[in-house]
Amino acid sequence: MAGFAISFLISFYVFFLNILMTSLGMAFTYGVTRILNLAQGTFFVLGGYLASVFAWQIGLAFGIAAAAAASLAFGPLFYLYVKALGRTELEQLFATYALLLIGEGLFKLVFGNGDYTTASLADGLGSVEVLGQQVPYSYLWGGAVAAALLALMYLLLARTRAGLYMRAVRDDAEMASALGINVREVGLSASALGILITAASGAASSMWQAFTLGLSGQILVYAFASLVVGGIGDLLGVVAASAVISAVRTAAVFLYPQLELVAIYLVVIAVLLTRPSGLFARHARLA
Amino acid sequence: MSLRKSFGGVKAVDGVSMDVEEGERLAVVGPNGSGKTTLINLLSGLLKPDSGDIYFKGIRVTNKPLHARVKLGIARSFQLPSLYQGLTVRQNAAIAVSALRGFSLRPVDEEDVRDALERFGLWEKRDLPVGSLSEGEKKILDIALAVVARPKVLLLDEPTSSVAEENKFELMEFVVGRLKGVSLVIVEHDLDIVEAFADRVAVMHSGRITAVVPPGEVRRMAV
Amino acid sequence: MRGWLSPIAIITAATAAYFGGPFLRFAAVYILGWSLAVFGAWLLLRYGLVNFGIGASYALGAYAAGLMYRYLHTADLAVHLLAAVGAAGAWGALNGAVGIKTRGIYYSLLSLSLSMVLYGVLVKFYTVTGGSDGLYMPDPRLLGVRIGTAGLLALAALLAAAWAALGEVFGRSYAGHVAAGIKINELRTSALGADVGRHILISSVLASIAAGLGGLIVGYSTSHVSPDFAYWVTSGKMVVGGLIASFLPWTWGFVASAALYQAVELYSLQFAYPELVVGGLLLAILAAWRLYYRR
Ligand SMILES: Nc1ncnc2c1ncn2[C@@H]1O[C@H](COP(=O)(O)OP(=O)(O)O)[C@@H](O)[C@H]1O
Ligand SMILES: [Mg+2]
C-alpha cells in the first residue's frame, strides 16, 4: 500500500513538473502581452532537445544550464515575430499556430525521429530509497530547478522595477502606456521570461522525459487544461491548477487509464461552467 | 423596496427610490463615484440589484436582461461613446437596426438605416468610418443608435462629457429637440445644462439620492 | 447580385473536376466536404468565436452515419443525412448553450474541451465506436441505388453551394450585422436589443450542422471515419481555414481556403518536412494579409 502511494506520488510529481512551467509561461506571457502562444509547448520541447544534445558534450548540469541560457534568446525573437505578423489577438494566435508547425518541422529536420533524453546521464546521480521505493535524485534536482524558477519569477515580479512594469501592463496596458511605460519593451521581456522558464524546465525534464516529435502538441493540451482551471490571469492559480490536473491525470492513469483525457476535460468543463474565470479566482471583475 | 447594489464592500447604490414620469426629463447630478453610472446600469439591466425592484409601466423588469428591457422601451447610452470601431456610420446604424430583429436572415432594410441617421442629421456622413467623426458627432451617433429602438425612456450617461465646453449646450439642444415625448434620465455634471434641459434634478451622494429639487434650486445644493 | 455567382462557381468547379479524372474527383469531394467544416469555423469567427472543437461536429456527422450502418445496416443517404444533421445539430446546441457562459479564449478552451471529451469517448469505448481504428463508412445509397463517385461529387457540390448561398444571405442579413456587432462590442449590441445568447446558440447549431455534413462527405470519400476527426489538431486546421476564408472577399472563400489548405498539405507530403511547408505557407498568408492591410 505504501509502495503504491509512493509510486502514485512520484508519477504525480513528475507529471506536475512536466506541465507546470509550460502552463505558467503561457499564462504569464498571455497576461502581459495578450498573445496566447500555441507554440509554448514547442519551447518546452526545444529545451529538452538542446539539453540532451549539450549534456553529452559538456556534462549534465552544464548541458541543462546551457540549454536554459540559449533559450533566453528565443523569447524576444518570438515576441518580435508575433508582433510583426499579427495585429489582432486572432492574427497573433494564427502566427503562433504557424510557429508550432514550423517548430515541429525544424525538430524533424535537425533532430530527426529519435528520442532525446539525458536519462542515462541522470541515472548516474543515484537514487534514494523512500518506503521501499527508489526515488532518483534527478527528480529532486528537477524539483529544485522548478522551485528556483518560481523564486526567480517571484523576485522579479515583486521586487524589481521591470516586474512592477510587467504587473502594470498586465492589469491595464492602456493605462500603463499612458503613464509612460514602454509596453513593447515590457512585452518583450515578459515573453523572454515566459519562454525562459518553459524552456529551462524542458531542459530539466530531459532527466526523465524522452523528447520526440509530436510532444509539443501533447504538452499543450495539458497546459490548456491548467490555464482554464487556474484562470489565465492568476499565476498562483495556474500553479495550483497544474497540480490538480496532474492529480486527476495520475489518478485516471492508475485507476482507469482509458479515460485519462476524458477525466481531465470533464474537470475543465465543470470548472468553466461553474467558475468561468478559474477555480481560484477571488472575485469576478466586470469589464 | 429601494434599490441596492454593492461591489465587495463598496455600497455603490444604497437605497434609491425614485419615479420618472412619462415625457419627463430627470437629471441626476452628484460627485464622481456617487453611484450615478451604477444606477443607470441597474435601470438598464446591465447589473442586477442586490435588493429592490424596478418597474416600468407597471411591469416588474428587475430580472429582465438588457435586451429584453430595450424591447420594452428602456434604452441607454454609455459614458464613453461605444461605437463599432473600424466600421462606417452606416454600418453602425445597420447593426442597431438589426439588433431589434432577432436571428433573421432577411436583408437589412436600408430605409430603416436611413431614417435612423437622417433623424440626427448623420446621413451625409454615412460612408465615413466612425473614428473620423468629431467628438460631438460620435456622441450624437451613439444616441442615434440607442434611439433606433424607439425607447420610451432613454438613459443618458454623461452625454456631454468629452465634448468641448462651447459645444455642449448646442449638442444637448440638438439631441433633446429630436427626443420629444421620450422620458430622459440624464447624468450630467454641467449645471447650466441641467438648468436648461431638466424638469427635475436628483442629487446623489454616496449611493443615496439626498434631494430631488426643481432645476432652479440645484445651484443652492451645489455638489 | 455578384455574390450569387458563388454557388454557381462551386458547381462549375465541381463539374470541371469530374472531367479531370479519378484523382481530381476524389480531391474535389474531399475538399468540398472539408470546406463545410471550414464554413462552420468561419461562421463562428464572424462572432469573434474561435471554436477549437469544431472537429467534434465534423466527427459526429460521419460517426452518425457509420454507426447507423454498423448497427442498423442502413446505407440510405437520406437516413444518414438526417442522422448527421441531428447529431451535429444537437452537439452545436450543447456547445452553444454552454459556450454562452464563456468568451474569448475561455470559449475556445471550452469548445476544445468538449471535443476532447468526445474524442476520448470515441477512442475508449471501442466496442461501440471501433476505438482508434474508427468505423467503416459504406457507399451511400439513394432509393436503393449506390450514388457512386459522380453522385458523391454532386452531393458535395450541392451542399457546398447551398452553404455558400446561406453565407451570402447571412452577410446581408439582420443576423449577419448582429454578428459583426457582437464581434466588435458585445455589450453594446445587447444594449441595442440583441439577445446575444440566442444569436450565438443558433449560429452554433448552424456551424455544427455544416461541419457535420462536411464530416459525412469526407467519411464517404475515404470509406472511413476515425477519432482523429474530433482531435483538436483537426479543429485547429479548420479554424485556420476559416481565418483564411475571412481574409478573402468572396462568399465562396471557404471553399477556396479549404482547397488552398488541402492542396498545400498534400503537396507538403512530398517533402521530408511537411510541417515546414504548411507552417511556411501560413506565415506567407499572414504576411501578405498584413502588407495588404497596412492600417
Ligand atoms: N464594476 C465595479 N466593481 C467594483 N466597484 C465598482 C464597479 N462599478 C462601480 N464601482 C464603485 O461604485 C461606486 C460608484 O461608481 P459609479 O456608479 O461609477 O459612480 P459615478 O458614475 O457616480 O461616478 C464607486 O465607488 C466605484 O468605484
Ligand atoms: Mg459615471
Side-chain angles (χ1 to χ4, degrees):
Chain A
M1 195 58 218
F4 176 79
I6 293 291
S7 62
F8 181 92
L9 279 178
I10 290 175
S11 72
F12 158 77
Y13 168 76
V14 167
F15 193 76
F16 174 65
L17 289 184
N18 277 354
I19 65 170
L20 172 64
M21 290 299 169
T22 306
S23 317
L24 196 60
M26 204 166 160
F28 180 67
T29 309
Y30 180 80
V32 179
T33 65
R34 298 282 138 183
I35 300 168
L36 185 68
N37 183 9
L38 297 179
Q40 193 82 27
T42 303
F43 290 105
F44 177 83
V45 175
L46 182 59
Y49 273 128
L50 289 182
S52 306
V53 172
F54 293 159
W56 291 102
Q57 320 280 335
I58 53 177
L60 183 61
F62 284 117
I64 290 174
S71 70
L72 264 175
F74 302 138
L77 288 176
F78 164 79
Y79 182 81
L80 294 175
Y81 160 86
V82 171
K83 285 286 169 181
L85 283 167
R87 183 174 34 94
T88 65
E89 264 185 56
L90 204 55
E91 289 166 15
Q92 292 173 355
L93 189 73
F94 191 102
T96 68
Y97 180 76
L99 189 60
L100 171 68
L101 290 177
I102 291 174
E104 208 53 28
L106 287 177
F107 290 158
K108 198 185 274 182
L109 181 71
V110 178
F111 302 110
N113 285 311
D115 281 359
Y116 280 68
T117 176
T118 58
S120 50
L121 293 173
D123 282 348
L125 295 172
S127 61
V128 56
E129 195 180 299
V130 181
L131 297 172
Q133 286 271 342
Q134 296 293 323
V135 180
Y137 275 119
S138 59
Y139 291 5
L140 304 180
W141 282 112
V145 170
L149 290 173
L150 282 178
L152 168 80
M153 196 157 164
Y154 172 78
L155 287 177
L156 207 106
L157 281 180
R159 298 291 164 80
T160 67
R161 180 165 293 270
L164 180 70
Y165 288 174
M166 285 180 197
R167 284 182 289 139
V169 172
R170 187 185 64 194
D171 290 343
D172 189 339
E174 243 170 77
M175 179 70 81
S177 145
L179 292 174
I181 297 178
N182 184 335
V183 173
R184 204 176 156 81
E185 264 169 30
V186 171
L188 200 87
S189 16
S191 305
L193 181 59
I195 284 173
L196 169 69
I197 61 170
T198 298
S201 92
S205 289
S206 70
M207 290 190 291
W208 55 80
Q209 172 75 45
F211 284 80
T212 183
L213 295 174
L215 192 62
S216 329
Q218 283 167 28
I219 202 98
L220 184 65
V221 169
Y222 295 106
F224 272 153
S226 297
L227 293 194
V228 174
V229 173
I232 197 163
D234 181 352
L235 298 185
L236 282 178
V238 170
V239 175
S242 299
V244 172
I245 294 298
S246 7
V248 172
R249 191 248 180 199
T250 310
V253 167
F254 273 66
L255 301 173
Y256 206 58
Q258 268 113 3
L259 288 185
E260 182 210 323
L261 275 178
V262 176
I264 288 177
Y265 279 101
L266 285 177
V267 170
V268 169
I269 292 168
V271 169
L272 272 172
L273 292 184
T274 50
R275 306 286 311 257
S277 44
L279 200 52
F280 306 101
R282 279 167 299 279
H283 59 90
R285 243 188 269 170
L286 194 79
Chain B
M1 278 317 257
S2 52
L3 275 181
R4 283 170 211 279
K5 176 77 192 179
S6 13
F7 300 104
V10 182
K11 291 177 182 160
V13 167
D14 186 19
V16 166
S17 286
M18 190 73 232
D19 285 308
V20 181
E21 303 297 326
E22 228 176 297
E24 182 189 29
R25 295 198 291 258
L26 174 75
V28 180
V29 301
N32 276 329
S34 58
K36 305 179 299 290
T37 295
T38 305
L39 181 62
I40 298 278
N41 287 345
L42 291 171
L43 294 177
S44 63
L46 187 57
L47 293 173
K48 298 265 174 295
D50 299 332
S51 65
D53 270 311
I54 304 161
Y55 286 87
F56 177 69
K57 296 169 103 188
I59 305 170
R60 182 165 173 272
V61 296
T62 320
N63 292 317
K64 289 208 189 289
L66 202 56
H67 60 86
R69 293 189 204 189
V70 174
K71 280 162 195 148
L72 285 172
I74 308 174
R76 68 168 292 170
S77 72
F78 287 83
Q79 188 166 344
L80 302 170
S82 53
L83 301 174
Y84 297 104
Q85 288 302 326
L87 301 186
T88 63
V89 171
R90 201 198 65 77
Q91 287 167 323
N92 270 261
I95 292 173
V97 166
S98 303
L100 298 164
R101 296 301 181 108
F103 192 97
S104 162
L105 289 174
R106 292 220 308 270
V108 171
D109 187 343
E110 290 297 329
E111 283 303 301
D112 288 350
V113 175
R114 187 182 178 127
D115 287 348
L117 291 175
E118 273 183 342
R119 182 168 182 183
F120 288 89
L122 288 167
W123 181 243
E124 278 65 51
K125 311 251 173 188
R126 61 188 174 276
D127 289 324
L128 294 180
V130 290
S132 69
L133 298 180
S134 71
E135 283 307 313
E137 287 168 336
K138 282 183 189 159
K139 285 282 189 182
I140 291 174
L141 178 58
D142 197 59
I143 292 167
L145 297 186
V147 171
V148 170
R150 305 199 177 282
K152 313 261 180 350
V153 180
L154 183 58
L155 312 168
L156 299 174
D157 196 357
E158 308 207 7
T160 68
S161 68
S162 80
V163 175
E165 201 63 45
E166 63 273 21
N167 298 332
K168 285 188 176 187
F169 204 87
E170 196 186 334
L171 172 78
M172 281 305 284
E173 196 141 60
F174 182 81
V175 169
V176 170
R178 278 160 180 75
L179 294 171
K180 296 264 156 55
V182 179
S183 308
L184 298 179
V185 176
I186 310 169
V187 172
E188 184 53 69
H189 284 294
D190 190 312
L191 294 185
D192 289 336
I193 290 188
V194 169
E195 282 186 338
F197 295 102
D199 302 322
R200 268 197 308 165
V201 183
V203 182
M204 272 193 95
H205 251 289
S206 9
R208 293 167 188 276
I209 292 189
T210 51
V212 180
V213 296
E217 283 174 40
V218 69
R219 277 184 203 280
R220 271 198 315 110
M221 309 279 313
V223 271
Chain C
M1 276 301 98
R2 255 188 62 227
W4 291 107
L5 293 177
S6 275
I8 299 170
I10 291 171
I11 305 270
T12 313
T15 313
Y18 179 77
F19 293 106
F23 174 74
L24 262 189
R25 254 174 260 165
F26 168 80
V29 172
Y30 192 96
I31 286 169
L32 288 168
W34 203 75
S35 79
L36 293 177
V38 170
F39 182 95
W42 169 85
L43 181 63
L44 293 170
L45 282 174
R46 300 276 299 236
Y47 292 82
L49 298 173
V50 182
N51 190 318
F52 271 129
I54 191 77
S57 309
Y58 179 71
L60 276 173
Y63 269 98
L67 290 169
M68 280 280 163
Y69 182 71
R70 178 164 173 169
Y71 292 101
L72 303 175
H73 311 292
T74 175
D76 189 81
L77 178 62
V79 175
H80 284 184
L81 283 172
L82 273 179
V85 168
W91 181 268
L94 173 77
N95 196 157
V98 299
I100 287 163
K101 290 199 162 201
T102 56
R103 287 296 177 273
I105 58 164
Y106 288 103
Y107 173 87
S108 305
L109 297 175
L110 180 67
S111 51
L112 177 131
S113 306
L114 286 168
S115 72
M116 290 304 281
V117 169
L118 182 74
Y119 173 80
V121 167
L122 292 175
V123 171
K124 302 308 180 187
F125 292 95
Y126 48 83
T127 46
V128 181
T129 62
S132 46
D133 295 339
L135 289 179
Y136 172 71
M137 295 276 292
D139 283 346
R141 287 160 183 272
L142 193 61
L143 305 171
V145 182
R146 278 170 198 267
I147 66 170
T149 317
L152 190 56
L153 180 57
L155 175 68
L158 282 177
L159 284 175
W163 286 94
L166 179 75
E168 182 64 30
V169 168
F170 182 81
R172 306 161 190 275
S173 73
Y174 291 116
H177 282 82
V178 172
I182 291 174
K183 180 176 180 178
I184 302 176
N185 188 341
E186 175 180 335
L187 181 62
R188 180 67 214 244
T189 310
S190 65
L192 289 173
D195 184 346
V196 172
R198 199 180 135 82
H199 280 268
I200 290 180
L201 180 65
I202 295 174
S203 284
S204 288
V205 172
L206 287 175
S208 184
I209 289 176
L213 290 170
L216 180 68
I217 300 287
V218 171
Y220 282 151
S221 78
T222 56
S223 304
H224 185 244
V225 53
S226 76
D228 280 346
F229 278 42
Y231 196 57
W232 77 271
V233 175
T234 308
S235 304
K237 290 177 184 175
M238 290 163 180
V239 169
V240 167
L243 198 63
I244 297 174
S246 69
F247 293 164
L248 301 174
W250 326 291
T251 319
W252 50 276
F254 70 99
V255 178
S257 137
L260 178 68
Y261 195 95
Q262 290 297 337
V264 170
E265 201 163 68
L266 188 66
Y267 173 70
S268 73
L269 292 178
Q270 300 179 17
F271 298 89
Y273 316 106
E275 297 88 353
L276 270 182
V277 176
V278 179
L281 164 86
L282 297 184
L283 274 194
I285 290 175
L286 199 51
W289 168 250
R290 282 287 279 165
L291 286 175
Y292 180 63
Y293 267 92
R294 281 213 109 110
R295 281 187 287 192

